[in-house]
Coordinates of all heavy atoms in Angstrom, one line a residue:
M1 N -9.7 -14.0 -6.4 CA -9.5 -13.3 -5.1 C -8.2 -12.5 -5.3 O -7.2 -13.0 -5.9 CB -9.4 -14.3 -4.0 CG -10.7 -15.0 -3.7 SD -10.7 -16.2 -2.4 CE -10.5 -15.2 -1.0
S2 N -8.2 -11.3 -4.7 CA -7.1 -10.4 -4.9 C -6.2 -10.4 -3.6 O -6.5 -10.8 -2.6 CB -7.6 -9.0 -5.2 OG -8.4 -8.6 -4.1
I3 N -5.0 -9.8 -3.9 CA -4.1 -9.5 -2.8 C -3.9 -8.0 -2.7 O -3.7 -7.3 -3.7 CB -2.7 -10.2 -3.2 CG1 -2.8 -11.7 -3.2 CG2 -1.6 -9.7 -2.1 CD1 -1.6 -12.4 -3.7
L4 N -4.1 -7.5 -1.5 CA -4.0 -6.1 -1.2 C -2.5 -5.8 -0.8 O -2.0 -6.4 0.1 CB -4.9 -5.6 -0.2 CG -4.8 -4.2 0.4 CD1 -5.0 -3.2 -0.7 CD2 -5.7 -4.0 1.6
V5 N -1.9 -4.8 -1.4 CA -0.5 -4.4 -1.1 C -0.6 -3.0 -0.6 O -0.8 -2.1 -1.5 CB 0.5 -4.6 -2.2 CG1 1.9 -4.2 -1.7 CG2 0.5 -6.1 -2.7
T6 N -0.5 -2.7 0.7 CA -0.4 -1.3 1.2 C 1.0 -0.8 1.0 O 2.0 -1.6 1.2 CB -0.8 -1.2 2.6 OG1 0.1 -1.9 3.5 CG2 -2.2 -1.8 2.9
G7 N 1.2 0.4 0.6 CA 2.5 1.0 0.3 C 3.1 0.4 -1.0 O 4.3 0.4 -1.2
G8 N 2.2 0.0 -1.9 CA 2.6 -0.7 -3.1 C 3.2 0.3 -4.2 O 3.7 -0.2 -5.2
A9 N 3.3 1.6 -3.9 CA 4.0 2.5 -4.8 C 5.3 2.9 -4.3 O 6.0 3.6 -5.0 CB 3.1 3.7 -5.0
G10 N 5.7 2.3 -3.2 CA 7.1 2.6 -2.6 C 8.1 1.6 -3.3 O 7.7 0.8 -4.0
Y11 N 9.3 1.8 -2.9 CA 10.4 1.0 -3.5 C 10.2 -0.5 -3.3 O 10.1 -1.3 -4.2 CB 11.8 1.4 -2.9 CG 12.9 0.6 -3.5 CD1 13.3 0.9 -4.8 CD2 13.5 -0.4 -2.8 CE1 14.4 0.1 -5.4 CE2 14.5 -1.1 -3.3 CZ 15.0 -0.9 -4.6 OH 16.0 -1.6 -5.2
I12 N 10.1 -0.9 -2.0 CA 9.9 -2.4 -1.8 C 8.5 -2.9 -2.2 O 8.4 -3.9 -2.8 CB 10.2 -2.7 -0.3 CG1 11.6 -2.3 0.1 CG2 9.9 -4.1 0.1 CD1 11.9 -2.4 1.6
G13 N 7.5 -2.1 -1.8 CA 6.1 -2.5 -2.2 C 5.9 -2.7 -3.7 O 5.3 -3.6 -4.1
S14 N 6.5 -1.7 -4.5 CA 6.3 -1.8 -5.9 C 7.0 -3.1 -6.5 O 6.4 -3.7 -7.4 CB 6.8 -0.6 -6.6 OG 8.2 -0.4 -6.5
H15 N 8.1 -3.4 -5.9 CA 8.8 -4.6 -6.4 C 7.9 -5.9 -6.1 O 7.8 -6.8 -6.9 CB 10.2 -4.8 -5.8 CG 11.2 -3.9 -6.5 ND1 11.3 -2.6 -6.2 CD2 12.1 -4.2 -7.4 CE1 12.2 -2.1 -7.0 NE2 12.7 -3.0 -7.8
M16 N 7.3 -5.9 -4.9 CA 6.4 -7.0 -4.6 C 5.2 -7.0 -5.5 O 4.8 -8.1 -6.0 CB 5.9 -6.8 -3.1 CG 4.8 -7.9 -2.7 SD 5.4 -9.6 -2.9 CE 6.4 -9.7 -1.4
V17 N 4.6 -5.9 -5.8 CA 3.5 -5.8 -6.8 C 3.9 -6.4 -8.1 O 3.2 -7.2 -8.7 CB 3.0 -4.4 -6.9 CG1 2.0 -4.2 -8.0 CG2 2.4 -3.9 -5.6
W18 N 5.1 -6.0 -8.7 CA 5.5 -6.5 -9.9 C 5.7 -8.0 -9.9 O 5.3 -8.7 -10.8 CB 6.8 -5.8 -10.4 CG 6.6 -4.5 -11.0 CD1 6.7 -3.3 -10.4 CD2 6.2 -4.2 -12.3 NE1 6.4 -2.3 -11.2 CE2 6.1 -2.8 -12.4 CE3 5.9 -5.0 -13.4 CZ2 5.7 -2.2 -13.6 CZ3 5.5 -4.4 -14.6 CH2 5.4 -3.0 -14.7
Q19 N 6.2 -8.6 -8.8 CA 6.4 -10.0 -8.7 C 5.0 -10.7 -8.7 O 4.8 -11.8 -9.3 CB 7.2 -10.4 -7.4 CG 8.6 -10.0 -7.5 CD 9.3 -10.9 -8.5 OE1 9.0 -12.1 -8.7 NE2 10.4 -10.4 -9.1
L20 N 4.1 -10.2 -7.9 CA 2.7 -10.8 -7.8 C 2.0 -10.7 -9.2 O 1.4 -11.7 -9.6 CB 1.9 -10.0 -6.8 CG 2.3 -10.2 -5.3 CD1 1.6 -9.2 -4.4 CD2 2.1 -11.7 -4.9
V21 N 2.1 -9.6 -9.9 CA 1.5 -9.5 -11.2 C 2.1 -10.4 -12.2 O 1.4 -11.1 -12.9 CB 1.6 -8.0 -11.7 CG1 1.2 -7.9 -13.2 CG2 0.6 -7.1 -10.9
D22 N 3.4 -10.5 -12.1 CA 4.1 -11.5 -13.0 C 3.8 -12.9 -12.7 O 3.9 -13.8 -13.6 CB 5.7 -11.3 -12.9 CG 6.2 -10.0 -13.6 OD1 5.4 -9.4 -14.3 OD2 7.3 -9.7 -13.3
S23 N 3.3 -13.2 -11.5 CA 2.9 -14.5 -11.1 C 1.4 -14.8 -11.4 O 0.9 -15.8 -11.1 CB 3.2 -14.8 -9.6 OG 4.5 -14.7 -9.3
G24 N 0.8 -13.8 -12.0 CA -0.6 -14.0 -12.4 C -1.6 -13.6 -11.3 O -2.8 -13.9 -11.5
E25 N -1.2 -13.0 -10.3 CA -2.1 -12.6 -9.2 C -2.9 -11.3 -9.5 O -2.5 -10.5 -10.3 CB -1.3 -12.3 -7.9 CG -0.6 -13.5 -7.4 CD -1.5 -14.6 -6.8 OE1 -2.7 -14.4 -6.6 OE2 -1.0 -15.7 -6.6
D26 N -4.1 -11.2 -9.0 CA -5.0 -10.0 -9.0 C -4.5 -9.2 -7.9 O -4.7 -9.5 -6.7 CB -6.4 -10.4 -8.9 CG -7.3 -9.2 -8.9 OD1 -7.0 -8.2 -9.6 OD2 -8.4 -9.2 -8.3
V27 N -3.9 -8.0 -8.2 CA -3.3 -7.2 -7.1 C -4.0 -5.8 -7.0 O -4.3 -5.2 -8.0 CB -1.8 -6.9 -7.4 CG1 -1.2 -6.1 -6.3 CG2 -1.1 -8.3 -7.5
V28 N -4.3 -5.4 -5.8 CA -4.8 -4.1 -5.5 C -3.8 -3.4 -4.7 O -3.3 -3.9 -3.7 CB -6.1 -4.2 -4.7 CG1 -6.6 -2.8 -4.3 CG2 -7.2 -4.9 -5.4
V29 N -3.4 -2.1 -5.1 CA -2.4 -1.3 -4.4 C -3.1 -0.2 -3.7 O -3.9 0.6 -4.3 CB -1.4 -0.8 -5.4 CG1 -0.4 0.2 -4.7 CG2 -0.6 -2.0 -6.0
L30 N -2.8 0.0 -2.4 CA -3.3 1.2 -1.6 C -2.1 2.0 -1.2 O -1.2 1.4 -0.5 CB -4.1 0.7 -0.4 CG -4.5 1.8 0.5 CD1 -5.6 2.7 -0.2 CD2 -5.1 1.2 1.8
D31 N -2.0 3.2 -1.6 CA -0.9 4.0 -1.3 C -1.3 5.5 -1.3 O -2.1 5.9 -2.2 CB 0.3 3.8 -2.3 CG 1.6 4.3 -1.8 OD1 1.8 5.5 -1.5 OD2 2.5 3.4 -1.7
N32 N -0.8 6.3 -0.4 CA -1.1 7.7 -0.4 C -0.2 8.6 -1.2 O -0.3 9.8 -1.3 CB -1.3 8.3 1.0 CG 0.0 8.3 1.8 OD1 1.1 8.0 1.2 ND2 0.0 8.6 3.1
L33 N 0.9 8.0 -1.8 CA 1.9 8.6 -2.6 C 2.7 9.7 -1.8 O 3.2 10.6 -2.5 CB 1.3 9.2 -3.9 CG 0.6 8.2 -4.8 CD1 0.1 8.9 -6.1 CD2 1.6 7.0 -5.2
A34 N 2.7 9.6 -0.5 CA 3.5 10.5 0.3 C 5.0 10.4 0.0 O 5.7 11.3 -0.2 CB 3.3 10.3 1.8
T35 N 5.4 9.1 -0.2 CA 6.8 8.9 -0.6 C 6.9 7.9 -1.8 O 8.0 7.7 -2.3 CB 7.6 8.3 0.6 OG1 7.0 7.1 1.1 CG2 7.7 9.3 1.8
G36 N 5.8 7.4 -2.2 CA 5.8 6.5 -3.3 C 5.5 7.2 -4.6 O 5.3 8.4 -4.6
F37 N 5.5 6.5 -5.7 CA 5.3 7.0 -7.0 C 4.3 6.2 -7.8 O 4.5 5.0 -7.9 CB 6.6 7.1 -7.8 CG 7.7 7.9 -7.1 CD1 8.6 7.3 -6.3 CD2 7.7 9.3 -7.2 CE1 9.6 8.0 -5.6 CE2 8.7 10.0 -6.6 CZ 9.6 9.4 -5.8
G38 N 3.3 6.8 -8.4 CA 2.3 6.1 -9.2 C 2.9 5.4 -10.3 O 2.4 4.3 -10.7
W39 N 3.9 5.9 -10.9 CA 4.6 5.3 -12.1 C 5.2 4.0 -11.7 O 5.5 3.2 -12.6 CB 5.5 6.2 -12.8 CG 6.6 6.8 -11.9 CD1 6.7 8.0 -11.4 CD2 7.8 6.1 -11.5 NE1 7.8 8.2 -10.6 CE2 8.6 7.1 -10.7 CE3 8.4 4.9 -11.7 CZ2 9.8 6.8 -10.1 CZ3 9.6 4.6 -11.1 CH2 10.3 5.5 -10.4
A40 N 5.5 3.8 -10.4 CA 6.2 2.5 -10.0 C 5.3 1.4 -9.9 O 5.7 0.2 -9.8 CB 6.9 2.8 -8.7
V41 N 4.0 1.6 -9.9 CA 3.0 0.5 -9.8 C 2.7 -0.1 -11.1 O 2.5 0.5 -12.1 CB 1.6 1.1 -9.2 CG1 0.6 0.0 -9.1 CG2 1.8 1.8 -7.9
A42 N 2.7 -1.4 -11.1 CA 2.5 -2.2 -12.4 C 1.1 -1.8 -12.9 O 0.1 -1.7 -12.2 CB 2.5 -3.7 -12.1
P43 N 1.0 -1.5 -14.2 CA -0.2 -1.1 -14.8 C -1.4 -2.1 -14.7 O -2.5 -1.8 -14.7 CB 0.1 -0.8 -16.3 CG 1.4 -1.3 -16.5 CD 2.1 -1.6 -15.2
E44 N -1.0 -3.4 -14.5 CA -2.0 -4.4 -14.4 C -2.7 -4.4 -13.0 O -3.7 -5.0 -12.8 CB -1.4 -5.8 -14.6 CG -0.8 -6.0 -16.0 CD 0.6 -5.5 -16.1 OE1 1.2 -4.9 -15.2 OE2 1.2 -5.8 -17.2
A45 N -2.0 -3.8 -12.0 CA -2.6 -3.7 -10.7 C -3.7 -2.6 -10.6 O -3.6 -1.6 -11.3 CB -1.5 -3.4 -9.7
H46 N -4.6 -2.8 -9.7 CA -5.7 -1.8 -9.5 C -5.1 -0.9 -8.4 O -4.9 -1.3 -7.3 CB -7.0 -2.5 -9.0 CG -8.0 -1.5 -8.7 ND1 -8.7 -0.8 -9.6 CD2 -8.5 -1.1 -7.5 CE1 -9.6 0.0 -9.0 NE2 -9.5 -0.2 -7.7
F47 N -5.0 0.4 -8.7 CA -4.4 1.4 -7.8 C -5.5 2.2 -7.2 O -6.3 2.8 -7.8 CB -3.4 2.3 -8.5 CG -2.8 3.4 -7.7 CD1 -1.8 3.0 -6.7 CD2 -3.2 4.7 -7.7 CE1 -1.3 4.0 -5.9 CE2 -2.7 5.6 -6.9 CZ -1.8 5.3 -6.0
V48 N -5.4 2.3 -5.8 CA -6.3 3.2 -5.1 C -5.4 4.1 -4.2 O -4.6 3.7 -3.5 CB -7.2 2.4 -4.1 CG1 -8.1 3.3 -3.3 CG2 -8.0 1.4 -4.9
R49 N -5.6 5.4 -4.4 CA -4.9 6.4 -3.7 C -5.6 6.7 -2.3 O -6.7 7.1 -2.3 CB -4.7 7.7 -4.4 CG -3.8 8.7 -3.7 CD -3.5 9.9 -4.6 NE -2.6 10.7 -3.8 CZ -1.9 11.8 -4.4 NH1 -2.2 12.1 -5.6 NH2 -1.1 12.5 -3.7
G50 N -4.9 6.4 -1.2 CA -5.5 6.6 0.1 C -4.6 6.0 1.2 O -3.5 5.5 0.9
D51 N -5.1 6.2 2.4 CA -4.4 5.7 3.6 C -5.1 4.5 4.2 O -6.3 4.2 3.9 CB -4.4 6.8 4.7 CG -3.4 7.9 4.3 OD1 -2.3 7.7 4.0 OD2 -3.9 9.1 4.4
C52 N -4.3 3.7 5.0 CA -4.9 2.5 5.6 C -6.1 2.8 6.5 O -7.0 2.0 6.6 CB -3.8 1.8 6.4 SG -2.5 1.1 5.4
G53 N -6.1 4.0 7.1 CA -7.2 4.3 8.0 C -8.3 5.1 7.5 O -9.2 5.6 8.2
D54 N -8.4 5.3 6.2 CA -9.5 6.1 5.6 C -10.5 5.3 4.8 O -10.4 4.1 4.7 CB -8.9 7.3 4.8 CG -8.2 6.9 3.5 OD1 -8.4 5.8 3.1 OD2 -7.5 7.8 3.0
Q55 N -11.4 6.0 4.2 CA -12.5 5.3 3.5 C -12.1 4.6 2.3 O -12.8 3.7 1.7 CB -13.6 6.3 3.2 CG -14.4 6.8 4.4 CD -15.1 5.7 5.0 OE1 -15.6 4.7 4.4 NE2 -15.2 5.7 6.4
A56 N -10.9 4.9 1.8 CA -10.4 4.2 0.6 C -10.3 2.7 0.8 O -10.6 1.9 0.0 CB -9.0 4.7 0.2
L57 N -9.9 2.3 2.0 CA -9.8 0.9 2.4 C -11.2 0.3 2.4 O -11.4 -0.9 1.9 CB -9.2 0.7 3.7 CG -8.8 -0.7 4.1 CD1 -7.9 -1.3 3.1 CD2 -8.2 -0.7 5.5
S58 N -12.2 1.0 2.8 CA -13.6 0.5 2.8 C -14.1 0.2 1.4 O -14.7 -0.8 1.1 CB -14.6 1.4 3.5 OG -14.3 1.5 4.9
S59 N -13.7 1.2 0.5 CA -14.2 1.0 -0.9 C -13.5 -0.2 -1.6 O -14.1 -0.8 -2.4 CB -13.9 2.3 -1.7 OG -12.5 2.5 -1.9
I60 N -12.3 -0.5 -1.2 CA -11.6 -1.6 -1.7 C -12.3 -2.9 -1.3 O -12.6 -3.8 -2.1 CB -10.1 -1.7 -1.3 CG1 -9.4 -0.5 -2.0 CG2 -9.4 -3.0 -1.7 CD1 -8.0 -0.3 -1.4
S61 N -12.5 -3.0 0.0 CA -13.0 -4.3 0.6 C -14.5 -4.5 0.2 O -14.9 -5.7 0.2 CB -12.9 -4.3 2.1 OG -13.6 -3.2 2.7
S62 N -15.2 -3.5 -0.2 CA -16.6 -3.7 -0.5 C -16.8 -4.3 -1.9 O -17.8 -4.9 -2.2 CB -17.4 -2.4 -0.4 OG -17.0 -1.5 -1.4
G63 N -15.8 -4.1 -2.8 CA -15.9 -4.5 -4.2 C -15.2 -5.8 -4.5 O -15.3 -6.3 -5.6
R64 N -14.3 -6.3 -3.6 CA -13.5 -7.4 -4.0 C -13.3 -8.3 -2.8 O -13.4 -7.9 -1.6 CB -12.1 -6.9 -4.3 CG -12.0 -6.1 -5.5 CD -10.6 -5.6 -5.7 NE -10.4 -4.8 -6.9 CZ -10.0 -5.3 -8.1 NH1 -9.5 -6.5 -8.2 NH2 -9.9 -4.5 -9.1
R65 N -13.1 -9.6 -3.1 CA -12.8 -10.6 -2.0 C -11.3 -10.7 -1.9 O -10.6 -10.9 -3.0 CB -13.4 -11.9 -2.4 CG -14.9 -11.9 -2.3 CD -15.5 -13.2 -2.1 NE -14.8 -13.9 -1.0 CZ -15.0 -15.1 -0.6 NH1 -16.0 -15.7 -1.1 NH2 -14.4 -15.6 0.4
G66 N -10.7 -10.5 -0.8 CA -9.3 -10.5 -0.6 C -8.8 -11.9 -0.1 O -9.5 -12.6 0.6
R67 N -7.6 -12.2 -0.6 CA -7.0 -13.5 -0.1 C -5.9 -13.2 0.9 O -5.6 -14.0 1.7 CB -6.4 -14.2 -1.4 CG -5.9 -15.5 -1.1 CD -5.6 -16.3 -2.3 NE -4.7 -15.5 -3.2 CZ -3.6 -16.0 -3.6 NH1 -3.2 -17.2 -3.3 NH2 -2.8 -15.3 -4.4
A68 N -5.2 -12.0 0.7 CA -4.1 -11.7 1.6 C -3.9 -10.2 1.6 O -4.3 -9.5 0.7 CB -2.8 -12.4 1.1
I69 N -3.3 -9.7 2.6 CA -2.8 -8.3 2.7 C -1.3 -8.3 3.0 O -0.9 -9.0 3.9 CB -3.6 -7.5 3.9 CG1 -5.1 -7.5 3.6 CG2 -3.0 -6.1 4.0 CD1 -5.9 -6.9 4.8
I70 N -0.6 -7.6 2.2 CA 0.8 -7.5 2.4 C 1.1 -6.0 2.7 O 0.8 -5.1 1.9 CB 1.6 -7.9 1.2 CG1 1.3 -9.3 0.8 CG2 3.1 -7.7 1.4 CD1 1.9 -9.8 -0.5
H71 N 1.5 -5.7 4.0 CA 1.6 -4.3 4.5 C 3.0 -3.8 4.4 O 3.9 -4.2 5.2 CB 1.1 -4.4 5.9 CG 1.1 -3.0 6.6 ND1 0.4 -2.0 6.0 CD2 1.6 -2.6 7.7 CE1 0.5 -0.9 6.8 NE2 1.3 -1.3 7.9
F72 N 3.2 -2.8 3.5 CA 4.5 -2.1 3.4 C 4.3 -0.6 3.7 O 5.3 0.1 3.6 CB 5.0 -2.2 2.0 CG 5.5 -3.6 1.6 CD1 4.9 -4.4 0.7 CD2 6.7 -4.1 2.2 CE1 5.3 -5.7 0.4 CE2 7.1 -5.4 1.9 CZ 6.5 -6.2 1.0
A73 N 3.1 -0.2 4.0 CA 2.8 1.2 4.2 C 3.4 1.6 5.6 O 3.3 0.9 6.6 CB 1.3 1.5 4.2
G74 N 4.1 2.7 5.6 CA 4.6 3.2 6.9 C 5.8 4.2 6.6 O 6.2 4.3 5.5
S75 N 6.1 4.9 7.6 CA 7.2 5.9 7.5 C 8.5 5.3 7.9 O 8.7 4.7 9.0 CB 6.9 7.1 8.4 OG 8.0 8.0 8.3
V76 N 9.5 5.4 7.0 CA 10.9 4.8 7.3 C 12.0 5.9 7.3 O 13.1 5.5 7.3 CB 11.2 3.7 6.3 CG1 10.2 2.6 6.4 CG2 11.3 4.3 4.9
V77 N 11.6 7.1 7.3 CA 12.6 8.2 7.3 C 13.0 8.5 8.8 O 12.2 9.1 9.5 CB 12.1 9.5 6.6 CG1 13.1 10.6 6.6 CG2 11.6 9.1 5.2
V78 N 14.2 8.0 9.1 CA 14.6 8.1 10.5 C 14.7 9.6 11.1 O 14.1 9.8 12.2 CB 16.0 7.4 10.7 CG1 16.5 7.6 12.1 CG2 15.9 5.9 10.4
P79 N 15.2 10.5 10.4 CA 15.2 11.9 10.9 C 13.8 12.4 11.2 O 13.6 13.1 12.2 CB 15.9 12.7 9.8 CG 16.7 11.8 9.1 CD 16.0 10.5 9.1
D80 N 12.8 12.1 10.3 CA 11.4 12.5 10.6 C 10.9 11.8 11.8 O 10.2 12.4 12.6 CB 10.6 12.2 9.4 CG 10.9 13.0 8.1 OD1 11.7 14.0 8.3 OD2 10.4 12.6 7.0
S81 N 11.2 10.5 12.0 CA 10.6 9.8 13.1 C 11.2 10.3 14.4 O 10.6 10.3 15.5 CB 10.8 8.3 13.0 OG 12.1 8.0 13.0
V82 N 12.5 10.8 14.4 CA 13.1 11.3 15.6 C 12.5 12.7 15.9 O 12.3 13.0 17.1 CB 14.7 11.4 15.4 CG1 15.3 12.2 16.5 CG2 15.2 10.0 15.3
A83 N 12.3 13.5 14.9 CA 11.8 14.8 15.1 C 10.3 14.8 15.5 O 9.9 15.7 16.3 CB 11.9 15.6 13.8
D84 N 9.5 13.9 15.0 CA 8.1 13.8 15.3 C 7.7 12.4 15.4 O 7.0 11.8 14.5 CB 7.3 14.5 14.2 CG 5.8 14.7 14.6 OD1 5.4 14.4 15.7 OD2 5.1 15.3 13.7
P85 N 8.0 11.7 16.6 CA 7.7 10.3 16.7 C 6.2 10.0 16.7 O 5.8 9.0 16.2 CB 8.3 9.9 18.0 CG 8.8 11.1 18.6 CD 8.7 12.3 17.7
S86 N 5.4 10.9 17.2 CA 3.9 10.6 17.2 C 3.3 10.5 15.8 O 2.5 9.7 15.5 CB 3.2 11.6 18.0 OG 3.3 12.9 17.5
A87 N 3.8 11.3 14.9 CA 3.4 11.3 13.5 C 3.8 10.0 12.8 O 3.0 9.3 12.1 CB 3.9 12.5 12.7
T88 N 5.0 9.5 13.1 CA 5.5 8.3 12.6 C 4.7 7.1 13.1 O 4.3 6.2 12.3 CB 7.0 8.1 12.9 OG1 7.7 9.2 12.4 CG2 7.5 6.8 12.3
I89 N 4.4 7.1 14.4 CA 3.6 6.0 15.0 C 2.2 6.0 14.4 O 1.7 4.9 14.0 CB 3.6 6.1 16.5 CG1 4.9 5.9 17.1 CG2 2.5 5.2 17.1 CD1 5.1 6.2 18.5
S90 N 1.6 7.1 14.2 CA 0.2 7.1 13.6 C 0.2 6.7 12.2 O -0.7 6.1 11.7 CB -0.5 8.5 13.8 OG 0.2 9.4 13.0
T91 N 1.3 7.0 11.4 CA 1.4 6.6 10.0 C 1.6 5.1 9.9 O 1.0 4.4 9.1 CB 2.5 7.3 9.3 OG1 2.3 8.7 9.4 CG2 2.7 6.9 7.9
T92 N 2.5 4.6 10.8 CA 2.8 3.2 10.7 C 1.8 2.3 11.3 O 1.5 1.2 10.8 CB 4.2 2.9 11.4 OG1 5.1 3.8 10.8 CG2 4.7 1.5 11.3
R93 N 1.0 2.7 12.3 CA 0.0 1.9 13.0 C -1.4 2.4 12.8 O -2.1 2.5 13.7 CB 0.3 1.8 14.5 CG 1.6 1.1 14.8 CD 1.7 0.9 16.2 NE 1.1 1.9 17.1 CZ 1.0 1.8 18.4 NH1 1.4 0.8 19.0 NH2 0.4 2.7 19.1
S94 N -1.7 2.8 11.5 CA -3.0 3.3 11.3 C -4.1 2.3 11.6 O -3.9 1.1 11.5 CB -3.2 3.6 9.8 OG -2.4 4.7 9.4
S95 N -5.2 2.8 12.2 CA -6.3 1.9 12.5 C -7.0 1.5 11.2 O -7.0 2.2 10.2 CB -7.2 2.6 13.5 OG -7.8 3.7 12.9
P96 N -7.7 0.4 11.2 CA -8.5 0.0 10.1 C -9.6 1.1 9.7 O -9.9 1.9 10.6 CB -9.2 -1.3 10.5 CG -8.4 -1.8 11.6 CD -7.8 -0.6 12.3
A97 N -10.1 1.0 8.6 CA -11.1 2.0 8.1 C -12.2 2.1 9.1 O -12.7 1.1 9.6 CB -11.6 1.6 6.7
R98 N -12.7 3.3 9.4 CA -13.7 3.5 10.4 C -15.1 3.4 9.8 O -15.4 3.8 8.7 CB -13.5 4.9 11.0 CG -12.2 5.0 11.8 CD -11.8 6.4 12.1 NE -10.4 6.5 12.4 CZ -9.5 6.9 11.5 NH1 -9.8 7.3 10.3 NH2 -8.2 6.9 11.8

């Protein structure tokens, strides 16, 4: 059974992914790479480029049994959230795959 890490290509998420992989866990990373980096993801993890609210999440869940979801995806850039709060809210609180 795998562990899904959303935002797993970001600074904090990628460190969590490395810890999980080092502990022998099967890890799936979902990230849109808006602020993360593909090179930051442990090569042993299965990487899927996408958002929490799109079909990428459906493709992950259809092929694997999940044990846990660790959610790090979201916008943390304060000036952006002040300038456009609705975009930040929609990014941070994405609905499940439709």
Side-chain angles (χ1 to χ4, degrees):
M1 294 180 69
S2 60
I3 297 174
L4 171 64
V5 181
T6 65
Y11 180 75
I12 297 171
S14 65
H15 281 80
M16 174 59 77
V17 170
W18 280 99
Q19 287 292 330
L20 291 168
V21 166
D22 287 347
S23 297
E25 298 290 347
D26 177 33
V27 181
V28 178
V29 173
L30 175 67
D31 200 298
N32 65 8
L33 300 180
T35 57
F37 302 95
W39 56 260
V41 178
E44 298 87 354
H46 176 74
F47 178 74
V48 176
R49 185 171 184 171
D51 289 308
C52 293
D54 67 15
Q55 289 299 326
L57 189 57
S58 294
S59 69
I60 293 169
S61 60
S62 67
R64 296 175 179 260
R65 292 201 48 179
R67 186 168 58 122
I69 299 172
I70 303 173
H71 181 57
F72 290 111
S75 179
V76 297
V77 181
V78 175
D80 292 348
S81 65
V82 171
D84 190 3
S86 61
T88 302
I89 291 168
S90 68
T91 300
T92 305
R93 295 189 329 172
S94 293
S95 61
R98 296 167 200 99

